[in-house]
Amino acid sequence: MNLLDQTDEKLTFLEDEPERSTEERLPWRMLIVDDEPEVHEVTRYALGDFRFDGRGLEFVHAYSAGEARELLAASDNIVIILLDVVMETDDAGLDLVEFVRNTMDNQFMRIILRTGQPGQAPEKEVISAYHINDYKNKAELTELKLYTSVLSSLRSWSDMMTIESFRSSLEAKVDERTAELRLKNVQLTELNREKNEFLGIAAHDLKNPLSVIQGFADMIATERESLSPEAVSEFAEVISGSTRRMFDLIKNLLDVNTIESGKLTVIHNEFRLGSLVEEVVEDFRRTASAKGIVLEYSNGGMAARVTADRDLTRQIVENLVSNAIKYSPPGRCVEIAVRTEKTMGYCRVTDSGPGLSDDDKKRLYRKFARLSARPTGDEHSNGLGLFIVKKLIDRMHGRVWCESETGHGATFSIGLPSPDN
């Protein structure tokens, strides 16, 4: 007895997988494509109680291949098609298969071909030539066979979606990892560039003072009997200055390495900013005086306290005062001032140097930055001081900024949080 003859008794099939007890899920959408209305009715009747994975079937009807094309083009959630072959043309169903697989490029939709005229579409030829998932002869199609075919198709679709989900997830992870590797490659390229720059600067900045030390040491060794005590003292002073220059460079490089490797230790404590700045000013008076520069210090917040790392704050202030002396012409003055507001303590250092261009300001805190302004007394600059200042002030939750115009000096200010902040 075939399916079309079974209209007086309906069989009930129970899926062997348990229904889910969660909220009601949307049914599987099935498109029935056949030009015989009674086939639609019998199919609905035979599969009315069908369940798979806790979901029933929603039937969508098309009575020609052309109508089916319009429905498929307008809907992307049909997962299975029961498709006749001979409709408006002898191969209308096969043309629809081509439309789904090639035009729509849908390889997941399950297509069950069922025909009442197998001579028009021989099973072997159709299965070989067309990407269909099942082939049924209407004359031999019982309700059980239809149920089994639909169940098998939905299981196949579900398995493919699971695999596709894993594939998409894997592709996403591969894309994410590829992006990470690209970023790492860019970072490594930048690190390599910085390493080469570092080696070049270190070699240049260490070579010059070493050459000076070597030269004067050789003179003392070979001409000591003819050198006056004054000359030996002068040579020793030059050697000492070159040594200090090398020491400063090495110290800065070590500081940069400590900061960038994440090994910098910051100890926050409470102290008087004015007292610390006054100590630094007194330490630099001799250096400034040797260049004919006067340090003018004003303290409008001697009692003000800040919360920061005292040693790192001293390093920052020393750097700013040293730079101000370095870039100010002889015979001028450098102004250092401390003030306080409710939540912040501030230190301002103003030089009388050539000032900074807009381009200089953009590069101020970059590593190895070389600015257009040059020291006025043949002092040396390795381009690391302000980079270190910015990193240290950021770690202490403070801020640093510069105000300058070309030809009118520069003012560097730092702000640190007070204990009440």
Side-chain angles (χ1 to χ4, degrees):
M1 182 180 296
N2 65 47
L3 179 62
L4 294 180
D5 296 330
Q6 297 180 34
T7 57
D8 58 340
E9 180 181 357
K10 179 179 179 182
L11 299 179
T12 300
F13 300 97
L14 296 177
E15 166 59 28
D16 54 3
E17 298 181 15
E19 288 192 27
R20 301 184 182 182
S21 58
T22 55
E23 61 180 338
E24 186 67 20
R25 302 171 64 196
L26 293 175
W28 305 98
R29 296 198 79 200
M30 171 188 286
L31 175 60
I32 304 172
V33 187
D34 201 297
D35 58 358
E36 299 180 29
E38 60 270 21
V39 173
H40 290 258
E41 293 302 319
V42 171
T43 303
R44 287 174 56 90
Y45 182 81
L47 299 175
D49 292 332
F50 180 93
R51 305 289 290 181
F52 169 66
D53 197 22
R55 301 162 64 181
L57 290 173
E58 176 187 343
F59 300 99
V60 181
H61 300 276
Y63 296 90
S64 68
E67 185 181 357
R69 286 176 187 244
E70 295 178 2
L71 288 170
L72 290 170
S75 176
D76 60 357
N77 57 356
I78 291 174
V79 299
I80 185 169
I81 304 177
L82 290 178
L83 177 60
D84 192 9
V85 176
V86 181
M87 291 178 285
E88 61 264 48
T89 63
D90 289 345
D91 56 359
L94 299 179
D95 287 343
L96 186 62
V97 174
E98 292 284 348
F99 173 78
V100 171
R101 298 307 190 207
N102 298 329
T103 304
M104 294 181 62
D105 193 24
N106 188 328
Q107 309 305 317
F108 298 111
M109 191 178 295
R110 303 292 85 190
I111 300 177
I112 301 174
L113 204 65
R114 58 178 183 176
T115 177
Q117 302 179 51
Q120 295 293 122
E123 181 175 356
K124 184 177 180 180
E125 295 179 12
V126 169
I127 289 176
S128 299
Y130 294 87
H131 187 180
I132 63 172
N133 306 108
D134 204 349
Y135 182 102
K136 298 298 180 185
N137 186 335
K138 287 182 180 179
E140 301 173 356
L141 183 59
T142 64
E143 189 170 353
L144 178 58
K145 289 182 178 179
L146 176 62
Y147 168 85
T148 302
S149 182
V150 171
L151 176 61
S152 177
S153 294
L154 288 178
R155 278 179 171 165
S156 174
W157 186 90
S158 182
D159 290 343
M160 285 195 305
M161 289 300 101
T162 300
I163 294 172
E164 179 66 12
S165 176
F166 284 133
R167 186 193 64 79
S168 298
S169 177
L170 180 60
E171 281 189 352
K173 290 183 181 298
V174 170
D175 290 343
E176 180 181 352
R177 185 58 179 159
T178 301
E180 291 176 358
L181 291 174
R182 287 197 184 103
L183 177 60
K184 291 293 184 183
N185 186 57
V186 171
Q187 292 172 340
L188 287 173
T189 301
E190 178 63 17
L191 285 174
N192 186 60
R193 186 194 65 77
E194 289 188 358
K195 179 205 70 174
N196 291 336
E197 186 175 12
F198 158 77
L199 291 175
I201 291 174
H204 177 271
D205 289 1
L206 290 175
K207 179 181 178 180
N208 289 343
L210 279 172
S211 298
V212 171
I213 292 171
Q214 182 68 52
F216 279 93
D218 288 345
M219 290 176 64
I220 293 174
T222 58
E223 303 178 19
R224 60 183 180 276
E225 295 181 358
S226 62
L227 292 176
S228 67
E230 292 78 10
V232 173
S233 178
E234 181 181 346
F235 291 172
E237 183 64 29
V238 173
I239 291 172
S240 177
S242 296
T243 303
R244 285 194 301 271
R245 177 176 166 182
M246 292 171 59
F247 177 80
D248 289 342
L249 174 61
I250 292 171
K251 179 179 180 299
N252 281 341
L253 293 174
L254 291 175
D255 286 342
V256 170
N257 180 68
T258 300
I259 292 169
E260 294 192 331
S261 64
K263 297 179 181 179
L264 178 66
T265 300
V266 179
I267 302 174
H268 290 276
N269 45 47
E270 187 179 324
F271 60 91
R272 297 184 187 278
L273 180 60
S275 298
L276 181 146
V277 174
E278 186 174 22
E279 293 173 10
V280 173
V281 170
E282 292 305 316
D283 288 346
F284 274 92
R285 285 199 185 280
R286 181 177 178 182
T287 302
S289 179
K291 196 175 178 179
I293 291 174
V294 177
L295 300 183
E296 295 184 356
Y297 175 57
S298 62
N299 185 358
M302 177 61 76
R305 305 182 75 82
V306 295
T307 301
D309 188 303
R310 197 178 196 281
D311 291 338
L312 298 183
T313 303
R314 183 184 183 92
Q315 183 177 349
I316 291 170
V317 176
E318 286 177 345
N319 189 293
L320 297 181
V321 173
S322 174
N323 276 354
I325 295 171
K326 188 182 298 183
Y327 287 94
S328 292
R332 305 295 290 273
C333 72
V334 170
E335 300 175 0
I336 303 102
V338 172
R339 65 183 177 88
T340 183
E341 292 182 1
K342 184 175 181 180
T343 60
M344 299 285 284
Y346 297 96
C347 174
R348 184 182 71 247
V349 180
T350 302
D351 63 44
S352 304
L356 299 169
S357 66
D358 289 340
D359 186 56
D360 285 339
K361 293 176 188 177
K362 294 176 183 177
R363 298 183 292 114
L364 264 182
Y365 306 109
R366 295 180 186 175
K367 190 163 42 177
F368 302 121
R370 300 292 191 179
L371 307 181
S372 59
R374 291 287 181 267
T376 58
D378 295 326
E379 298 97 335
H380 180 70
S381 174
N382 54 47
L384 291 173
L386 290 177
F387 171 81
I388 294 172
V389 165
K390 184 67 167 65
K391 293 294 184 181
L392 295 182
I393 203 78
D394 287 346
R395 285 294 304 273
M396 293 188 291
H397 311 296
R399 53 188 293 254
V400 58
W401 68 98
C402 175
E403 301 166 272
S404 178
E405 293 181 9
T406 303
H408 295 85
T411 297
F412 283 86
S413 300
I414 62 168
L416 293 168
S418 69
D420 298 329
N421 187 20

